[in-house]
Amino acid sequence: MQTSRTFVKRTRAGAVVKVVREHYLRDDIPCGAAACRRCPLRPDAPAPSLETQPGGAASSLCPGPHYLLPDTNVLLHQIDILEDPVIKNVVVLQTVLQELRNRSIPVYKRIRDVIQTPEKHFYSFTNEHHRETYIEQKKGETSNDRNDRAIRVAVKWYSEHLKKIEDEEKIQVIFLTNDRINKEKALEEGITAYTCEEYIKSLVANPELVDRLACVSDEGKEIESGKVIFPEHIPLSKLQQGIKSGNYLQGTYRASRDNYLEATVWVHGDAEEKEIIIQGLKHLNRAVHEDIVAVELLPKGEWVSLSSVVLQDDGQNEDDIETEEEKENILKTSVSKDMLRPTGKVVGIIKRNWRPLCGMLSKSEIKEARRHLFTPADRRIPRIRIETRQADKLEGQRIIVAIDGWPRNSRYPNGHFVKNLGSAGDKETETEVLLLEHDVPHQPFSQAVLSCLPKMPWSITEQDMKHREDLRHLCICSVDPPGCTDIDDALHCREIENGNIEVGVHIADVSHFIRPGNALDEESVKRGTTVYLCEKRIDMVPELLSSNLCSLRSDVDRLAFSCIWEMNHKAEILKTRFTKSVIKSKASLTYAEAQMRIDSATMNDDITTSLRKLNKLAKIMKKRRIDNGALTLSSPEVRFHMDSETHDPIDLQTKELKETNSMVEEFMLLANISVAQKIHSEFPEFALLRKHPAPPPSNYDILVKAAKSKNLEIKTDSAKALAESLDKAESPTFPYLNTLLRILTTRCMMQAVYFCSGMDNDFHHYGLASPIYTHFTSPIRRYADIIVHRLLAVAIGADDTYPELRDKHKIADMCKNLNYRHKMAQYAQRASVAFHTQLFFKSKGVVNEDAYILFVRKNAIVVLIPKYGLEGTVFFEEKGKPTPRLDYNNEVPSLTVEDTTLCVFDKVKVNIMLDASNIQHQKIQMVLVEPKIRGNDVPANLSTETSSNNEPEKKKRKLRK
């Protein structure tokens, strides 16, 4: 049967047009109940999901077998409940899914995942195309009221339909809605309806589910005082008008880590005034980190500067607003007019960016209390008020909480308990926390993804050899860090008949196994990158590919994508060609093993000869690159040595880089540049490239001042000038100074990003001094490289294109996601290093080490300990201790503490220890030992250790046995 749907819509130009769409209705859409014999079985229809005898939790309200049918708001707000294994046999209507998709894509994706989980028995019913459940919108009826009526019609149809099932105990259909009017209408129509809260509280065997109920209405949940704390949010329609007229500004709200009464809003699409300061509780007005907000600028007379005060929200009293006002007064310090910045107040929320949050319960001091405060691990998120009966059990545990709402008369937002992760401080728990907090997808690969993998045993077929060169005769080898199993790249070098040199970079052909649009491809793009933690690797692709079929291991045939150059002995490129290939690596070497071969006087085999030629060419290429203005920066990386039994860190060292590291890097850079040139010449509008923007001149202020304090000049007008002045910045009496300057220069840099060539004009890579660049050499661990492989394959006629690959808007959106995933992976890796550093010093007691001052603050110094590659802050203000006299000089820069002046790059001695006083925010504490500060009595010999070579006490005892 065919009907039509008519609606009006506004075009981009502003015109209103009438749209008529054909709408087909069918009789053969099944109800999804396994016991039903009345519904026709269509070959294309999904298998019945709803159980014959519905299992799940027993309800005191409806003790008989029943299916649940929730409305949109229940799905939207109670997704944590619906995901619980106890909740089964749920009918999800097409109407509800469509509304959900328009209102929250993340929740929509979660419910789709639940529907696809067989053991949950959720069924998606296409009610909008079923002849008996489709309804037309009545005249004067809102879309929302029409959808509510459509849901009630579907519930009623299900109830009548299931009554006709013979020889079975009658199955009831329970309608779940939190909408009072909708529930009343359902009851009038003879439908069994409950609120979600009523139904969950009736599950007597599962009282823990009550804690997970989202606080969907602020009625009855208000704090007892009822005092209004915050201004009302302006409705969205008025906000949009205000933004259009210029009365309000739209931007992303960024809360401060160090001061809970301060935030900044980064204005969207405003080139001049990017940042607006927000100060004070009322002006912050219930915005949460990363929300999209509307801001009203304050008069210039009320503008402020960012405060240098550290304020942590550690109060338990929700009603103590007077204390908040006192703290706000601390922020108001007199500053010169040129320090004042645009300041505003949040007037409304355009889009919430609430996510599940990890943290710990701050148990109420009131006995038998159900209401407690949750303290998130992320200091930028406010505390959250939750209700739970499990407070005793959850104390000292890492838990997940979701925010539900933030009423005007509550100091904190309301939320609900979602999940217990485990004991705080436990290694597995803390790893899970850091992955969740940095939004790293780390769930096991689904069956749909694994089904895309090739069947084992796998071998190269004749079909695979089409469009490929057989390069198995070449002397190819790989050089990687020790323990590397995901080997992306391999190299070869040989002299050819005309006296020139042929060099090949061979990269794993991952795009051969990951085909566009399948489940494996979708999962890979969602993950974006492999994340390397200290003890764990979160793979972008399943292990069968990452460590086996795609890994270019020695002595096995592997598919590759090869970039081959003909060079002269001056490392000048004469010819470049790209080909899909089959290779057989002759050796998988570590950097140290390759270096040993190059340095050996006795080894002269083919692999060693090849490595020596590569190394010689790499040195010429690196010199040429640096002469062209490429930067050689420094960033200390650390390596942990783990106890083989406990897996706790027993030693911590900075990574040592060898010539072979540089050798491999040079050829990877060359391959990336060569491929970037090729794909851009073929596809100027949709090549995926990588750029590194030049930093704004103000970024270099700290570097220039620090160098000047040591009578050195750093020029920053170009990358070449910077590179040359860094090379000259040497001190015979202070050899480590140049390394410190390069570390500081790294901090001045902008983040490198992926972009689509058709959406940008500036392609330049500042750090590499290259006019064009991309990523081609690591497709096992970076999704960007897979797209680049696909573009290159199309360019050389080795593979077919597909629509998304030629859509610059799709490529640009993908780049945005990849940039986010790479940034989060970096943060997760740093958090893992920080956690393992804490574990290391936990077993060490107090360690005394040499350090250098990197930055000077108003009340602290930031130091670097070269031995460990560790950075930390030495504070000169402590709670409960008299504050020493502090004099900060921004020009030098220096900090005078009592009579001792501390300058950037000064060598000092510090005591390092673990401060575990706050179990959630354990941190490395550093105390200055030398030079000695008057009145600061820290004995230099307090240290229990002065060398990282000593074994921790537990290990020593083990060795004595």
Side-chain angles (χ1 to χ4, degrees):
M1 175 185 167
Q2 181 185 338
T3 181
S4 63
R5 298 179 75 177
T6 307
F7 57 93
V8 291
K9 70 179 230 183
R10 193 180 293 275
T11 66
R12 283 186 179 179
V16 175
V17 293
K18 186 178 180 181
V19 179
V20 179
R21 281 201 184 140
E22 291 178 341
H23 190 80
Y24 292 92
L25 301 178
R26 304 176 64 148
D27 294 318
D28 59 348
I29 296 171
C31 68
C36 180
R37 300 287 175 269
R38 297 176 62 83
C39 289
L41 281 173
R42 290 197 346 253
D44 61 328
S49 303
L50 304 166
E51 292 177 295
T52 308
Q53 284 298 308
S59 166
S60 58
L61 285 174
C62 30
H66 58 271
Y67 298 148
L68 298 175
L69 200 153
D71 71 1
T72 309
N73 281 324
V74 169
L75 251 69
L76 188 66
H77 298 294
Q78 308 295 351
I79 182 67
D80 291 321
I81 290 275
L82 293 167
E83 285 177 330
D84 192 278
V86 165
I87 306 298
K88 296 180 179 179
N89 295 292
V90 176
V91 178
V92 182
L93 299 179
Q94 181 188 1
T95 309
V96 170
L97 276 176
Q98 285 171 346
E99 277 194 295
L100 196 61
R101 190 173 192 171
N102 290 331
R103 290 174 67 181
S104 174
I105 288 292
V107 175
Y108 172 78
K109 284 179 177 173
R110 285 170 71 181
I111 205 69
R112 295 294 314 179
D113 287 345
V114 174
I115 291 167
Q116 287 164 15
T117 306
E119 55 271 21
K120 286 285 287 170
H121 301 288
F122 273 50
Y123 180 69
S124 175
F125 178 62
T126 319
N127 65 305
E128 294 290 355
H129 289 276
H130 193 291
R131 191 200 293 268
E132 293 181 45
T133 57
Y134 172 73
I135 60 162
E136 296 277 359
Q137 188 168 347
K138 292 178 181 175
K139 198 172 181 180
E141 188 178 40
T142 67
S143 296
N144 193 47
D145 287 343
R146 180 261 168 208
N147 288 345
D148 283 348
R149 188 163 59 87
I151 293 167
R152 293 196 303 275
V153 166
V155 178
K156 203 157 190 180
W157 177 84
Y158 254 102
S159 295
E160 296 300 320
H161 182 76
L162 294 176
K163 280 178 188 173
K164 296 168 186 172
I165 296 175
E166 296 170 6
D167 303 326
E168 295 287 346
E169 193 179 348
K170 292 292 175 273
I171 297 169
Q172 202 175 357
V173 177
I174 309 294
F175 178 39
L176 296 182
T177 178
N178 290 327
D179 184 320
R180 183 176 53 81
I181 295 168
N182 203 10
K183 185 186 171 191
E184 285 171 2
K185 285 182 179 176
L187 293 171
E188 283 169 15
E189 293 168 16
I191 295 168
T192 307
Y194 299 110
T195 65
C196 191
E197 188 171 346
E198 287 169 341
Y199 180 76
I200 294 303
K201 285 183 174 175
S202 78
L203 306 180
V204 285
N206 302 90
E208 74 285 351
L209 281 181
V210 177
D211 285 357
R212 298 176 69 179
L213 277 167
C215 183
V216 288
S217 166
D218 293 324
E219 283 184 333
K221 296 278 182 184
E222 310 284 343
I223 52 173
E224 283 72 8
S225 69
K227 181 182 174 183
V228 173
I229 300 167
F230 297 101
E232 197 168 352
H233 284 150
I234 294 168
L236 189 59
S237 56
K238 287 187 179 176
L239 286 180
Q240 287 165 338
Q241 288 169 14
I243 290 163
K244 209 171 183 180
S245 65
N247 292 335
Y248 306 135
L249 296 168
Q250 178 176 323
T252 304
Y253 179 90
R254 304 259 168 87
S256 166
R257 271 181 210 279
D258 301 319
N259 187 339
Y260 74 99
L261 293 174
E262 189 170 75
T264 54
V265 171
W266 285 83
V267 177
H268 300 168
D270 192 330
E272 288 174 29
E273 294 177 346
K274 285 286 274 189
E275 193 179 48
I276 295 169
I277 297 173
I278 316 288
Q279 255 185 24
L281 207 60
K282 287 186 172 67
H283 287 171
L284 297 175
N285 198 7
R286 297 170 285 156
V288 176
H289 184 63
E290 293 291 345
D291 282 350
I292 307 296
V293 299
V295 173
E296 183 180 0
L297 276 177
L298 297 174
K300 281 199 174 181
E302 295 179 40
W303 285 12
V304 298
S305 68
L306 283 170
S307 72
S308 55
V309 181
V310 176
L311 283 178
Q312 301 295 341
D313 181 12
D314 49 11
Q316 272 278 7
N317 191 346
E318 298 175 28
D319 304 332
D320 195 0
I321 303 305
E322 286 173 22
T323 309
E324 306 291 357
E325 287 166 4
E326 283 172 26
K327 287 182 180 177
E328 283 175 30
N329 289 331
I330 299 170
L331 304 182
K332 292 165 187 168
T333 52
S334 56
V335 288
S336 60
K337 280 191 176 179
D338 60 337
M339 295 285 285
L340 297 175
R341 306 255 292 281
T343 307
K345 61 181 179 182
V346 174
V347 292
I349 309 294
I350 291 160
K351 188 187 175 196
R352 288 290 193 190
N353 195 39
W354 292 345
R355 60 179 177 84
L357 299 157
C358 300
M360 294 182 73
L361 196 71
S362 303
K363 196 178 160 197
S364 171
E365 291 170 9
I366 302 165
K367 205 177 176 186
E368 303 295 321
R370 285 188 182 178
R371 185 182 294 161
H372 308 271
L373 282 176
F374 163 83
T375 305
D378 188 340
R379 290 185 187 276
R380 295 168 299 187
I381 306 291
R383 298 169 125 202
I384 300 161
R385 194 153 43 96
I386 68 166
E387 288 192 18
T388 177
R389 295 157 178 75
Q390 307 175 64
D392 291 335
K393 184 179 158 189
L394 297 179
E395 207 174 6
Q397 301 288 298
R398 289 282 201 174
I399 63 172
I400 297 178
V401 160
I403 302 177
D404 299 325
W406 197 341
R408 289 175 63 201
N409 63 348
S410 172
R411 170 64 186 82
Y412 299 110
N414 292 326
H416 65 274
F417 166 74
V418 175
K419 188 181 179 184
N420 183 357
L421 295 173
S423 299
D426 173 74
K427 203 184 299 180
E428 288 298 316
T429 303
E430 295 302 331
T431 301
E432 179 74 7
V433 168
L434 76 85
L435 290 170
L436 289 167
E437 278 299 290
H438 295 99
D439 194 18
V440 175
H442 59 287
Q443 66 282 2
F445 289 102
S446 69
Q447 203 50 51
V449 169
L450 297 175
S451 67
C452 299
L453 296 173
K455 301 288 178 280
M456 296 301 285
W458 174 85
S459 62
I460 295 169
T461 64
E462 277 185 37
Q463 184 65 28
D464 294 334
M465 291 303 295
K466 281 187 178 177
H467 308 295
R468 278 185 199 277
E469 274 188 54
D470 191 339
L471 304 179
R472 285 175 282 197
H473 62 284
L474 292 176
C475 186
I476 294 171
C477 68
S478 62
V479 185
D480 289 282
C484 178
T485 59
D486 52 344
I487 303 170
D488 286 289
D489 53 89
L491 297 153
H492 90 269
C493 182
R494 63 173 181 167
E495 278 200 28
I496 49 180
E497 288 173 1
N498 61 8
N500 289 330
I501 301 170
E502 180 187 87
V503 176
V505 164
H506 311 276
I507 305 300
D509 188 5
V510 183
S511 63
H512 173 84
F513 297 96
I514 301 180
R515 302 311 295 164
N518 69 13
L520 175 54
D521 187 45
E522 285 175 5
E523 182 65 24
S524 302
V525 71
K526 185 176 109 180
R527 295 186 179 220
T529 179
T530 292
V531 181
Y532 294 90
L533 306 181
C534 291
E535 277 191 275
K536 196 174 186 176
R537 190 179 80 199
I538 313 297
D539 281 325
M540 181 183 81
V541 298
E543 194 178 11
L544 179 65
L545 295 184
S546 66
S547 295
N548 188 350
L549 301 185
C550 290
S551 185
L552 305 182
R553 302 185 304 189
S554 56
D555 302 319
V556 286
D557 292 349
R558 287 290 176 257
L559 301 179
F561 211 145
S562 300
C563 176
I564 300 168
W565 304 276
E566 185 179 327
M567 293 180 177
N568 61 24
H569 289 266
K570 293 178 184 174
E572 293 166 337
I573 298 170
L574 306 173
K575 287 180 189 171
T576 305
R577 68 187 184 93
F578 306 97
T579 179
K580 290 227 173 186
S581 59
V582 178
I583 67 164
K584 187 172 187 175
S585 171
K586 302 296 182 280
S588 300
L589 306 173
T590 65
Y591 290 116
E593 286 167 349
Q595 191 67 53
M596 187 190 73
R597 281 173 175 261
I598 290 168
D599 297 340
S600 169
T602 56
M603 296 184 79
N604 290 297
D605 57 278
D606 289 349
I607 292 169
T608 306
T609 308
S610 175
L611 287 169
R612 286 186 186 131
K613 285 175 188 163
L614 287 166
N615 198 37
K616 189 178 176 183
L617 291 168
K619 285 177 180 177
I620 300 169
M621 286 157 55
K622 184 171 186 176
K623 185 181 183 306
R624 187 186 302 138
R625 208 164 49 78
I626 290 167
D627 289 346
N628 288 337
L631 297 173
T632 309
L633 302 181
S634 185
S635 181
E637 285 189 74
V638 297
R639 181 185 295 282
F640 292 94
H641 294 275
M642 302 293 184
D643 184 301
S644 57
E645 292 175 30
T646 65
H647 297 286
D648 286 338
I650 55 173
D651 199 3
L652 173 60
Q653 296 170 346
T654 49
K655 289 181 184 175
E656 185 191 345
L657 297 179
K658 301 185 181 296
E659 259 185 18
T660 44
N661 290 78
S662 180
M663 176 190 80
V664 172
E665 184 186 14
E666 284 307 313
F667 286 106
M668 296 308 122
L669 292 176
L670 185 61
N672 287 333
I673 292 167
S674 297
V675 171
Q677 290 165 342
K678 178 69 176 174
I679 62 172
H680 182 248
S681 68
E682 292 284 335
F683 312 115
E685 283 295 298
F686 46 88
L688 190 154
L689 302 174
R690 188 165 176 82
K691 69 173 180 177
H692 182 215
S698 59
N699 277 30
Y700 288 123
D701 287 351
I702 184 79
L703 173 68
V704 172
K705 284 177 185 176
K708 195 178 175 184
S709 72
K710 297 294 178 189
N711 299 315
L712 296 168
E713 185 186 10
I714 299 289
K715 293 177 180 173
T716 60
D717 34 333
S718 71
K720 187 169 172 59
L722 177 61
E724 286 173 354
S725 54
L726 281 170
D727 286 341
K728 290 174 189 169
E730 297 280 358
S731 169
T733 57
F734 187 2
Y736 197 65
L737 176 63
N738 192 265
T739 305
L740 289 170
L741 282 166
R742 290 181 192 276
I743 289 169
L744 213 51
T745 307
T746 308
R747 308 300 165 87
C748 303
M749 292 296 130
M750 304 291 283
Q751 188 79 34
V753 290
Y754 297 112
F755 69 101
C756 176
S757 59
M759 306 288 278
D760 209 323
N761 298 319
D762 177 21
F763 293 8
H764 191 73
H765 196 292
Y766 180 80
L768 297 173
S770 176
I772 193 165
Y773 191 67
T774 193
H775 271 163
F776 164 75
T777 54
S778 296
I780 294 177
R781 60 185 178 89
R782 289 189 306 232
Y783 188 82
D785 302 52
I786 293 176
I787 294 296
V788 169
H789 276 228
R790 288 174 182 169
L791 287 166
L792 184 61
V794 174
I796 65 169
D799 207 343
D800 300 323
T801 187
Y802 57 99
E804 288 80 6
L805 197 64
R806 303 179 75 94
D807 185 331
K808 65 181 182 181
H809 297 285
K810 292 260 173 72
I811 296 283
D813 287 344
M814 186 188 295
C815 288
K816 195 175 173 185
N817 173 57
L818 294 176
N819 290 330
Y820 169 73
R821 289 292 173 208
H822 277 262
K823 185 173 72 173
M824 288 295 111
Q826 279 184 329
Y827 292 165
Q829 282 156 213
R830 286 178 203 165
S832 179
V833 168
F835 175 63
H836 280 79
T837 305
Q838 289 166 14
L839 287 179
F840 173 71
F841 283 105
K842 188 177 184 179
S843 63
K844 286 285 186 184
V846 182
V847 179
N848 183 266
E849 285 296 344
D850 289 336
Y852 292 97
I853 299 174
L854 267 187
F855 301 102
V856 173
R857 305 283 187 233
K858 287 183 180 177
N859 63 345
I861 55 171
V862 178
V863 299
L864 173 76
I865 296 152
K867 181 174 183 177
Y868 300 128
L870 178 65
E871 215 176 285
T873 307
V874 177
F875 289 99
F876 296 106
E877 291 177 328
E878 283 187 66
K879 266 187 182 177
K881 288 190 179 180
T883 303
R885 190 174 73 255
L886 301 172
D887 183 16
Y888 174 69
N889 184 336
N890 187 37
E891 287 306 310
V892 174
S894 69
L895 178 68
T896 303
V897 187
E898 295 295 343
D899 304 322
T900 306
T901 300
L902 302 165
C903 299
V904 172
F905 301 149
D906 280 1
K907 189 175 182 180
V908 295
K909 237 182 185 15
V910 293
N911 277 341
I912 315 161
M913 67 210 84
L914 179 69
D915 176 7
S917 55
N918 181 336
I919 192 166
Q920 172 150 255
H921 294 117
Q922 293 188 37
K923 59 184 184 230
I924 299 295
Q925 186 180 4
M926 294 190 185
V927 179
L928 190 67
V929 176
E930 290 176 21
K932 199 165 170 52
I933 305 290
R934 186 160 56 85
N936 184 26
D937 299 322
V938 180
N941 60 356
L942 176 67
S943 162
T944 58
E945 301 243 359
T946 54
S947 167
S948 69
N949 295 328
N950 295 350
E951 300 282 356
E953 194 57 36
K954 195 186 285 184
K955 184 78 175 172
K956 280 182 193 166
R957 286 198 297 270
K958 210 182 285 180
L959 291 173
R960 283 188 205 122
K961 290 176 188 175

